[in-house]
Amino acid sequence: MHVEITSYGIKVTATDGIGSSQPKNLKPVNDEKGNVSYYQRFTNKDQRAEHWLQRLGKALADYLRKYGKMNISKENEKLVDFPEGYVLYQHNKEYKDNTKSRHDRYLYGAYKFRSPKEFEPHLIWLVSGQVNNCKCVYCNNSPRGINNGKRKESTLEKTINDRSTKKIKNDSEAKKIEVENVNKPKFAKTLYRRGEIVMVNLNKTGKAHHTELIRNSSDENDISIFYWPGVILETSKVPTTDNMSDDTASANSDGCGIIYKAYYKIHLLELSEVIQVDRKTLLPWLACKKEIPKSFINNNKLEPNVKAYIQAIDRVNKISNIYTPVHSYKHKEADDHLKEIKDPLERKRLQDMENYPHYEAILLGTEMIYVNDYVRLAPINVASMSDDDDSEKESEYLLNNRKEPEYLLISSIYKHATKGIQFTGDGLLRGKLLNEHSYRRSLSDYEWTTVNKSDAEYTIDLQDIAGRFYLLFPNLKDRINCNIPKKLDERFKLLGIEDY
């Protein structure tokens, strides 16, 4: 169950509301007839929002006691907050002809819900793992589950180039890969995440001693210091104001017209210094990574700051080979879905999946990758497929059509008993830029197509993930190459950070 029981009530940890459309007319506006209409956003402390949270919390608590076998006290029968991306509004209408004003409340998220009762089945569907069809009035007759669709059905695995595997529906159409549009979120998550390693432009930190450090770096050893590696300790958001400069792709909308600018608290490696900067000061490690000759690493004759820089780069290069799954959870396949599977081997495979640890995210080298992220894939050499991997006809089809995915929209991350960390999701191709002059670049500014069918997913091995897709660096080619598992505390100990 995707909930946390706290001393304040029930916290829902799953959502489908991020990036959803929200009311924009938050100030009174007169129409052509002189009537006034506007939306009013409620905070959780407002008694009208508290009413919704109490009603939903009571219904959810009853469900969790019955089906989740959870012991929830009467005092905790309340939602701490709505699921992320869901906001309660009141639509106020005041009529010029003195007709009685209207004040209608709606919960905006994936849909516009008109009452707590109407939202209850959708909330329970979110909490239960989204494996069954949602029974709310909006999702009914349009099956919804994790990854914007129902859970993928019977599939047959094959190996490509002895590395990647792709699952294809085992029916008469298995030889054909269809291309179709994919639902895209409006905004990506914050550009950089807590725990990631980034490169900091010392010229843009506003610190005089940083520009002095650049000036004093030794050029005689071909070591020029402009970007310094750092670990993101915290991220924060501040509402933008009119006098703030545009920060394309680092700003996030909260779904109700308010734009937030992101700031990052960075621990500069080897300098034991913590600074706070905005997005424009940072670059992904893969966009600016450095290779230092081994002869420099243990050279005690170097200027101290240059030596610190080399040691910091050396630490990051070591971390680049390390992966750390985080936020594990128990996966449960829906019983009614298992009953629909006719192939006993496929049914057993899905049941075995329940024994594998699943994760909400993974630290892959220098990057933090989440479920629902768009990630780049390493090129797949279809021509090198052996006849043992698949049928000869399908190999020929794939070779001739070359519709292998360039990206993956991740739906799950788990650890296979024998194959290690694997990712499932929709295989994507990125098309042309649709909105070249977008004020704030978003994923929907690109044309995206899926190369798997709607009832099949790709399964990708860890070594075939090249890295995150960055809106500001859409043509990034460098890739992650991880093969060493480490625990979180071991990872930060290698970075020289003991109190992360």
Side-chain angles (χ1 to χ4, degrees), residues 374-386:
Y374 283 48
V375 293
R376 299 177 293 116
L377 298 180
I380 297 175
N381 185 5
V382 181
S384 67
M385 288 171 53
S386 68

Side-chain angles (χ1 to χ4, degrees), residues 363-481:
L363 275 161
L364 210 55
T366 59
E367 299 182 339
M368 176 72 87
I369 292 174
Y370 289 98
V371 170
N372 292 327
D373 268 353
Y374 283 48
V375 293
R376 299 177 293 116
L377 298 180
I380 297 175
N381 185 5
V382 181
S384 67
M385 288 171 53
S386 68
D387 292 340
D388 293 336
D389 291 334
D390 203 81
S391 70
E392 187 174 338
K393 288 184 179 180
E394 185 164 338
S395 298
E396 182 180 355
Y397 174 84
L398 290 171
L399 181 61
N400 292 335
N401 288 269
R402 295 187 181 277
K403 289 186 173 65
E404 293 302 322
E406 299 171 343
Y407 303 89
L408 186 76
L409 175 54
I410 299 173
S411 63
S412 66
I413 305 170
Y414 60 91
K415 185 178 181 180
H416 190 278
T418 59
K419 299 177 183 178
I421 297 294
Q422 292 190 314
F423 304 75
T424 64
D426 286 328
L428 306 175
L429 296 173
R430 177 165 61 97
K432 63 184 178 179
L433 183 59
L434 300 174
N435 188 4
E436 188 174 350
H437 303 292
S438 175
Y439 177 61
R440 285 186 173 88
R441 186 59 49 81
S442 68
L443 289 168
S444 57
D445 288 325
Y446 285 98
E447 182 182 72
W448 297 91
T449 53
T450 58
V451 295
N452 52 283
K453 297 177 65 176
S454 60
D455 52 3
E457 284 185 323
Y458 277 82
T459 300
I460 301 295
D461 294 335
L462 179 144
Q463 62 263 36
D464 292 305
I465 302 293
R468 288 174 52 197
F469 172 67
Y470 293 92
L471 286 166
L472 290 178
F473 306 91
N475 299 316
L476 185 62
K477 298 297 183 184
D478 277 300
R479 59 166 297 184
I480 291 169
N481 187 18

Side-chain angles (χ1 to χ4, degrees), residues 165-280:
T165 59
K166 182 182 69 175
K167 298 189 291 183
I168 301 179
K169 187 181 178 184
N170 188 18
D171 59 14
S172 60
E173 297 181 356
K175 301 294 189 293
K176 182 180 179 182
I177 299 178
E178 295 183 352
V179 178
E180 57 187 35
N181 291 326
V182 65
N183 293 326
K184 301 172 290 295
K186 187 176 181 181
F187 288 95
K189 294 184 178 75
T190 303
L191 186 61
Y192 303 107
R193 287 89 178 264
R194 184 171 182 262
E196 288 189 322
I197 299 170
V198 292
M199 293 294 266
V200 181
N201 187 336
L202 296 182
N203 267 324
K204 295 184 178 181
T205 63
K207 308 288 186 182
H209 65 282
H210 287 164
T211 54
E212 189 70 17
L213 189 153
I214 296 172
R215 191 178 301 114
N216 293 338
S217 63
S218 175
D219 289 330
E220 60 181 340
N221 292 311
D222 295 325
I223 301 292
S224 297
I225 300 173
F226 289 99
Y227 294 93
W228 197 285
V231 179
I232 297 178
L233 301 180
E234 293 179 14
T235 64
S236 58
K237 296 187 296 183
V238 176
T240 58
T241 59
D242 293 337
N243 60 351
M244 275 189 180
S245 60
D246 174 38
D247 197 20
T248 304
S250 74
N252 295 288
S253 170
D254 71 349
C256 61
I258 301 175
I259 301 297
Y260 291 86
K261 183 171 181 176
Y263 287 90
Y264 306 91
K265 184 182 288 186
I266 310 288
H267 176 111
L268 297 176
L269 295 179
E270 297 298 322
L271 293 182
S272 299
E273 181 181 353
V274 176
I275 60 174
Q276 181 164 297
V277 296
D278 65 8
R279 188 274 306 164
K280 293 182 178 179

Side-chain angles (χ1 to χ4, degrees), residues 12-20 81-87 108-109 237:
V12 177
T13 59
T15 187
D16 61 347
I18 298 175
S20 58
D81 196 357
F82 296 109
E84 187 175 0
Y86 278 81
V87 182
Y108 276 81
K237 296 187 296 183

